Amino acid sequence: MSKEIIDKILISHEDIVNKTNELARRINDDYRNEETPIMVCVLKGAVMFFADLVQHIDIDVAIDFIAISSYGNTTRSSGEVKMVKDLSCCVEGRNIIIVEDIIDSGYTMHYLMNSLNIRGAKSVKLCSLLSKPSRRVVPVEIDYLGFEIPDEFAIGYGLDFDERYRNLKDICVLRLED
Ligand code: HPA
Ligand code: MG
């Protein structure tokens, strides 16, 4: 079995807080004169980011949760996507803001944005805390992006390895050693 080493802090909690405030300000400005958006938290990875982000939203919003799983092993995602928990709100005619932890290959987000558009959403925008552009397989437009990161395995602040490390305050790099 390989050993898991928390290698270094990639993004400090303080930097996350500052960036989250900035993204919330942009969302407030962009939606102030629009119909009430639904902010959708993609479980489970985005849960910390979502909870902090929505507390800085000062316009009228609805919130909802969705869970999607991509098949494949833990650190690499395949193209297959499955809806594990669907939204409870009806999206037809609504402005949707998806809140995600990380955009990697882009498969999951491509699938989700497509399915919300097919269901008749008025608009679908994406807010992601992290992006790994070097891993992209399908193009994804990120309207509100926190940080671009290199192709290293990120854990903490909601991001997991095998369901662990989500509770760390900072985003760190996980290294596996034999
Ligand atoms: N960390 C956690 N989950 C992920 C990552 C990552 O770096 N990339 C895709 N899913
Ligand atoms: Mg995720």
Side-chain angles (χ1 to χ4, degrees):
M1 219 176 88
S2 57
K3 199 166 138 204
E4 294 165 22
I5 296 163
I6 301 176
D7 207 13
K8 61 175 181 220
I9 294 181
L10 201 55
I11 305 164
S12 70
H13 189 77
E14 191 188 349
D15 288 347
I16 297 169
V17 169
N18 291 334
K19 185 64 80 176
T20 303
N21 294 350
E22 178 196 317
L23 294 175
R25 273 199 302 274
R26 285 179 49 205
I27 293 171
N28 289 332
D29 290 346
D30 290 354
Y31 287 86
R32 199 165 308 281
N33 300 311
E34 301 294 332
E35 280 172 48
T36 307
I38 307 173
M39 294 186 73
V40 174
C41 174
V42 184
L43 295 171
K44 304 171 194 167
V47 74
M48 309 285 180
F49 176 48
F50 184 79
D52 286 339
L53 183 72
V54 295
Q55 289 177 69
H56 292 95
I57 298 294
D58 64 9
I59 54 161
D60 207 21
V61 287
I63 69 169
D64 205 349
F65 298 86
I66 198 166
I68 291 161
S69 83
S70 53
Y71 296 95
N73 66 35
T74 10
T75 55
R76 299 269 146 179
S77 59
S78 68
E80 280 181 86
V81 170
K82 185 175 89 171
M83 183 89 67
V84 177
K85 183 219 168 290
D86 202 351
L87 296 170
S88 51
C89 299
C90 173
V91 303
E92 199 180 340
R94 301 294 301 268
N95 291 318
I96 309 291
I97 305 167
I98 302 169
V99 181
E100 176 63 299
D101 57 351
I102 185 164
I103 307 299
D104 190 281
S105 65
Y107 283 129
T108 307
M109 201 39 59
H110 184 80
Y111 164 86
L112 178 57
M113 294 181 96
N114 202 27
S115 96
L116 295 175
N117 279 316
I118 287 168
R119 289 197 232 169
K122 183 179 176 190
S123 70
V124 181
K125 286 204 181 181
L126 171 61
C127 175
S128 182
L129 178 62
L130 305 176
S131 173
K132 276 188 200 173
S134 62
R135 298 258 308 139
R136 205 74 86 245
V137 180
V138 289
V140 174
E141 190 188 330
I142 306 174
D143 303 282
Y144 307 97
L145 173 63
F147 305 92
E148 282 193 349
I149 62 167
D151 187 11
E152 292 187 284
F153 200 79
I155 51 165
Y157 196 67
L159 290 112
D160 74 309
F161 175 74
D162 224 0
E163 295 300 331
R164 292 166 36 244
Y165 305 112
R166 293 193 197 273
N167 55 311
L168 303 180
K169 266 182 144 32
D170 306 301
I171 294 173
C172 301
V173 171
L174 184 75
R175 196 158 47 86
L176 295 177
E177 264 186 13
D178 298 325

